[in-house]
């Protein structure tokens, strides 16, 4: 079984593959800038075009940047404390200058990894079932859109469902976003929420994932308190943050 240090090292190795840097760069005491390249083994949801991606595991910023934006990003991450670069008002500085070149701050997220000292088999009053890819065929519905992704259905490899009799009331699903790590998403029907079902499903799916020798990870927006609480209650802890800058037209399309 993995240790917490094993899990962190695996996550850093994958992040390095995602943004074209070295795993040890995330432990440096100074910020590091590298050329933006999405490698063949990057997580599947990384898609061009990307102007830059800022990643921090809590020691510094590693900035993966296209050459034409390098000077702006270098100035930004040296101007402010690294942890303030992921929040307002400082990020307005970056957004304003990148906007002049047709780029805008787009995705911002916090990522969680399992804490092996806190992760444990959880239970609730509903029956739990382990599900596999073949079981998801009829579940690509709006109510399970966090647990499963219809656009990348081939990556949905594992799940844990909660059942009230024959009725599926909660679902956590794993997406095989890269070779070593699977991402967990979870949904619970509105009338069954606030019973701890989401954290039970997430924690149990994390254990199932680890038993398959993959590292589970969990992602949510900083403002999604309910989702962050689910991660923490199920045995996950904050591990790293990312902020991505993309072309203005990509953001406008998302906002339509």
């Amino acid at each position: 079984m993995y240790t917490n240090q094993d899990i962190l090292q695996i996550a850093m190795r994958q992040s390095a593959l995602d943004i074209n840097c070295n795993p040890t760069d995330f432990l440096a005491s100074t910020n590091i800038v590298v050329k933006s390249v999405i490698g063949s083994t990057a997580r599947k949801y990384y898609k061009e075009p990307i102007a830059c991606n800022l990643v921090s595991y809590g020691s510094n910023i590693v900035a993966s940047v296209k050459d034409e934006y390098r000077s702006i990003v270098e100035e930004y991450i040296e101007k402010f404390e690294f942890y303030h670069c992921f929040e307002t008002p400082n990020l307005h500085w970056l957004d304003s200058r990148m906007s002049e070149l047709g780029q805008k701050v787009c995705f911002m997220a916090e990522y969680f990894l399992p804490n092996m000292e806190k992760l444990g088999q959880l239970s609730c009053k509903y029956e739990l079932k382990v599900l596999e890819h073949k079981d998801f065929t009829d579940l690509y519905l709006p109510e399970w859109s966090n647990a499963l992704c219809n656009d990348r259905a081939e990556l949905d490899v594992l799940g844990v469902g909660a059942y009230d009799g024959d009725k599926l009331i909660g679902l956590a699903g794993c997406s095989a976003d890269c070779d070593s790590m699977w991402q967990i998403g979870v949904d619970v029907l509105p009338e069954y929420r606030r019973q701890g079902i989401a954290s039970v499903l997430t924690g149990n799916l994390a254990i199932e994932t680890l038993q398959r020798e993959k590292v589970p990870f969990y992602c949510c927006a900083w403002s999604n308190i309910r989702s962050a609480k689910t991660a923490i209650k199920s045995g996950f802890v904050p591990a790293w943050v990312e902020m991505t800058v993309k072309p203005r037209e990509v953001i406008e399309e998302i906002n339509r």
Side-chain angles (χ1 to χ4, degrees), residues 25-41:
D25 290 345
F26 300 113
L27 301 175
S29 58
T30 57
N31 296 324
I32 293 175
V33 180
V34 298
K35 183 180 178 66
S36 177
V37 175
I38 299 179
S40 60
T41 53

Side-chain angles (χ1 to χ4, degrees), residues 197-229:
I197 298 170
S199 57
V200 169
L201 293 172
T202 300
N204 281 281
L205 183 53
I207 291 172
E208 293 288 339
T209 301
L210 288 162
Q211 289 174 349
R212 289 159 176 78
E213 299 185 344
K214 304 294 183 181
V215 171
F217 69 102
Y218 187 102
C219 173
C220 71
W222 289 298
S223 57
N224 195 341
I225 301 302
R226 182 173 65 188
S227 186
K229 283 183 175 179

